């Protein structure tokens, strides 16, 4: 996953961050509405994925 993120361009990374945030929102709303989630760690994992993407995005911005 990390290697795939590092190969993407800045614009692709920005789009990926937006997409991941939408998925996180959906997970949170589903969890709040139903008070249950099949995999409760999925919210935590999605947050970490967003952080990884933002880190690579920032590194690429500084290099440019």
């Amino acid at each position: 996953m990390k290697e795939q993120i590092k190969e993407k361009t800045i614009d692709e990374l920005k789009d990926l961050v937006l997409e991941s945030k939408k998925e996180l929102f959906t997970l949170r709303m589903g969890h709040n509405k139903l008070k249950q989630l099949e995999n409760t760690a999925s919210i935590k994992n999605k947050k970490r994925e967003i952080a990884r993407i933002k880190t690579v995005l920032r590194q690429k911005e500084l290099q440019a």
Side-chain angles (χ1 to χ4, degrees), residues 21-57:
K21 284 185 176 185
K22 287 178 184 179
E23 291 174 13
L24 179 61
F25 178 78
T26 303
L27 285 172
R28 285 182 175 164
M29 290 302 107
H31 178 67
N32 287 341
K33 189 178 267 188
L34 301 175
K35 296 296 181 197
Q36 68 184 44
L37 191 61
E38 287 183 21
N39 183 5
T40 56
S42 60
I43 293 175
K44 183 178 179 180
N45 292 338
K46 188 56 71 175
K47 285 182 179 180
R48 287 183 177 181
E49 178 184 326
I50 293 170
R52 284 187 196 105
I53 297 167
K54 284 185 171 184
T55 300
V56 172
L57 177 61

Side-chain angles (χ1 to χ4, degrees), residues 10-23:
I10 291 175
D11 290 333
E12 290 174 333
L13 289 171
K14 287 180 182 180
D15 291 340
L16 192 56
V17 168
L18 288 176
E19 181 182 321
S20 294
K21 284 185 176 185
K22 287 178 184 179
E23 291 174 13

